[in-house]
Amino acid sequence: MKTNFKFGEVHNACDIVKYNSEKVDFLQIFETECGGVCVLAMKEGQKLDTHTAPFEVMVTVCEGEIEFTMIDKAHTIKAGEFLLMGADVAHSVEAKKDSKIMLIKVK
């Protein structure tokens, strides 16, 4: 497993990424050949253009609100809510409010 975090230490997932008006802040918590966990911070109005991922993904909004478009259907996801997505599904993201998002990726 690849990580910069120590096992047995407590971390606040929302505090490890910061809002940046220039770009989406992205931090990998850990990664293996079978998936991983990362967090993103997006300022209101920032977007991730349509792309795919080779993993099944659980998208959890920790703070804020996003519009997650998958297979041409837009889903509004608010703090405390999550959405599941299959591998290799085209999707895009837009922050409707300043938002922090945790992605759990599994192969």
Side-chain angles (χ1 to χ4, degrees), residues 14 19 58-66 76-84 97-102 104:
C14 285
Y19 292 114
M58 179 176 172
V59 179
T60 303
V61 175
C62 302
E63 157 179 324
E65 180 179 319
I66 64 171
T76 299
I77 311 172
K78 299 177 182 176
E81 298 178 335
F82 70 89
L83 173 137
L84 299 176
K97 299 179 181 177
D98 290 355
S99 300
K100 293 189 178 178
I101 305 152
M102 179 179 287
I104 301 171

Side-chain angles (χ1 to χ4, degrees), residues 1-102:
M1 175 178 359
K2 186 169 124 181
T3 185
N4 291 325
F5 295 89
K6 293 182 181 176
F7 284 76
E9 290 184 354
V10 176
H11 302 276
N12 184 311
C14 285
D15 289 344
I16 61 176
V17 287
K18 303 294 182 205
Y19 292 114
N20 181 333
S21 59
E22 301 298 315
K23 63 181 178 116
V24 174
D25 190 20
F26 174 90
L27 181 71
Q28 191 79 29
I29 294 176
F30 75 86
E31 184 175 27
T32 72
E33 64 279 353
C34 297
V37 174
C38 62
V39 288
L40 304 114
M42 300 177 72
K43 293 286 290 175
E44 181 177 338
Q46 286 181 325
K47 298 177 183 181
L48 296 175
D49 291 332
T50 302
H51 61 284
T52 61
F55 305 100
E56 277 75 33
V57 180
M58 179 176 172
V59 179
T60 303
V61 175
C62 302
E63 157 179 324
E65 180 179 319
I66 64 171
E67 182 174 278
F68 191 94
T69 302
M70 173 176 69
I71 313 174
D72 296 326
K73 182 176 180 185
H75 303 272
T76 299
I77 311 172
K78 299 177 182 176
E81 298 178 335
F82 70 89
L83 173 137
L84 299 176
M85 181 186 73
D88 301 314
V89 173
H91 61 283
S92 62
V93 184
E94 181 178 353
K96 294 300 184 180
K97 299 179 181 177
D98 290 355
S99 300
K100 293 189 178 178
I101 305 152
M102 179 179 287

